[in-house]
Amino acid sequence: MSQVLPGDAPLVHDLIGIGFGPSNVGLAIALSEHNARVDRQETVTAHFFEQQPNFGWHRGMLIDDATMQVSFLKDLVTQRNPTSEFSFLCYLKSKGRLIDFINHKNLFPLRVEFHDYLEWAAAQVDDMVSYGHEVVSVTPFVSDGVVEYLDVTVRSREGLAVHRARNLVFGTGLRPLMPEGVERGERVWHSSELLTKVDSLEGTSPSRFVVVGAGQSAAENVAYLHRRFPDAEVCAVFSRYGYSPADDSSFANRIFDPGAVDDFYTAPEDVKRRLMGYHASTNYSVVDIDLIDDLYRQTYQEKVLGTERLRFLNVSRLTEVEETQDKVRTTVKSLVTGEETPLDADVAVFATGYRHADPLGLLGEVGERCLRDEDGRVRVERDYRLVTDPGLRCGIYLQGGTEHTHGITSSLLSNIAIRVGEILDSVVDRSVKSAPDEARPVVDGTGSVVR
């Protein structure tokens, strides 16, 4: 479906993807499968640009015994195409572990294993991605007062290059969120960088860690640090009375169903807010019950033995954090009494969540054409396409940052397979409607003309 413009104008891609995490890997797979089953003149040309030097997904959180919180059946393809060669089961077959996994009788693989699956899948479509390439700006290509294409400027070791597209898909993931006034440093970490930072402590003898947060990552960090540093005290600080268990019961999990996205999208705003409140316990600031039980069992055992290294400072929060050359000075305030207690540590880890990357900042003046709702949030169509003024004919799609319109699955793995299929269908449908009648050149996934 791509088009070569006259003169020195760049080739027009049907789609350019920004970022190559799980969501856009899933989209690349859907594109590959689509192009394999249609006539060559109906193929969709696409290319993705990823800032990282290679594929990586939350590498700093791949704790060796941490498991996924979603079923392996919610991989990149199965809910969209159960016969796909890119499924988790096909990955297991290729690794010689299919029978072993079946005998394991477990729906939830190790996180490190699922990351290996994602790497395996990404490697099979790596002809569609350029790693080490950072998208730095998007500008409109205007013809007769209408934006027909978007010019994407990309920085790499070779310098800057401009690529032109009819559609953009943002899959830039999440950004670590720190409390206001707290900056990351050598001894102040976000939980997302735990494994990339912790090796720097090898050969030292840390005496205390402070871990802030009440969600799954916080609990995993507490358990990991307690296990890895057997002489260190680990202090968990959170404003709740205790960790709250994740609701992964069968009925509650229906909030992640593809059909729930339709329900949420069409619901009135007050119903949307209630649904997010009702089902926050499926995903936000909650912990797997098995991990809660393990931590409680550990702390009780230490009390019995008189060797308490695991401390839970509940109904409390950190009010001060100061990093020095050899320690972190923190102050813990009780929310009940108001009493403040100084607490020095070798490292403070903040498992304080994430925020969505703002695509409009990258879009520049194109972002000014994207319409917002009365609360200032971007308006998004059901097909995950930003609502724009009529003068912008390009499609700009979001994989993430759509919780206010599409519900809780916006940034989660649960619905990737379905979501990328819907985005691809939208791109194909809109490209066919806008395509000229005459035959156009056929190009491959890198944008090279093949016919």
Side-chain angles (χ1 to χ4, degrees), residues 298-309:
Q298 184 67 50
T299 190
Y300 184 77
Q301 178 181 323
E302 289 184 356
K303 285 185 178 181
V304 171
L305 299 177
T307 56
E308 295 183 53
R309 292 195 301 113

Side-chain angles (χ1 to χ4, degrees), residues 97-239:
R97 293 201 305 270
L98 179 58
I99 302 303
D100 293 331
F101 186 85
I102 292 172
N103 289 337
H104 192 34
K105 299 179 182 179
N106 195 341
L107 289 173
F108 307 101
L110 290 169
R111 192 179 298 158
V112 68
E113 181 178 34
F114 201 80
H115 186 277
D116 193 54
Y117 156 67
L118 294 174
E119 283 189 295
W120 170 85
Q124 296 186 70
V125 288
D126 63 1
D127 61 322
M128 300 175 70
V129 60
S130 294
Y131 290 105
H133 285 62
E134 178 189 7
V135 174
V136 295
S137 68
V138 177
T139 55
F141 179 86
V142 182
S143 176
D144 297 328
V146 175
V147 180
E148 296 282 359
Y149 312 114
L150 297 173
D151 284 343
V152 180
T153 302
V154 182
R155 180 191 294 125
S156 67
R157 288 183 300 177
E158 290 74 33
L160 296 176
V162 177
H163 303 262
R164 186 163 289 172
R166 290 189 184 86
N167 300 280
L168 292 184
V169 179
F170 281 86
T172 47
L174 302 170
R175 300 292 182 266
L177 180 63
M178 297 289 284
E180 186 176 355
V182 178
E183 299 291 336
R184 286 188 283 176
E186 290 302 312
R187 294 181 177 273
V188 178
W189 307 344
H190 187 269
S191 58
S192 62
E193 55 188 348
L194 175 71
L195 296 187
T196 60
K197 291 277 195 178
V198 75
D199 286 343
S200 66
L201 301 177
E202 202 63 47
T204 68
S205 300
S207 60
R208 179 182 289 151
F209 295 90
V210 171
V211 179
V212 181
Q216 181 73 20
S217 295
E220 288 178 353
N221 280 211
V222 167
Y224 173 80
L225 292 169
H226 184 266
R227 181 176 70 248
R228 175 153 182 179
F229 298 97
D231 296 322
E233 182 180 87
V234 180
C235 301
V237 181
F238 44 78
S239 57

Side-chain angles (χ1 to χ4, degrees), residues 179-182 188 210 212 237 317-323 328-333 340-344 348 350:
E180 186 176 355
V182 178
V188 178
V210 171
V212 181
V237 181
R317 64 185 179 91
L318 252 61
T319 56
E320 295 182 23
V321 179
E322 180 187 358
E323 182 176 1
V328 180
R329 291 176 175 164
T330 73
T331 300
V332 179
K333 180 178 181 179
E340 294 188 338
T341 304
L343 189 67
D344 291 349
F350 288 82

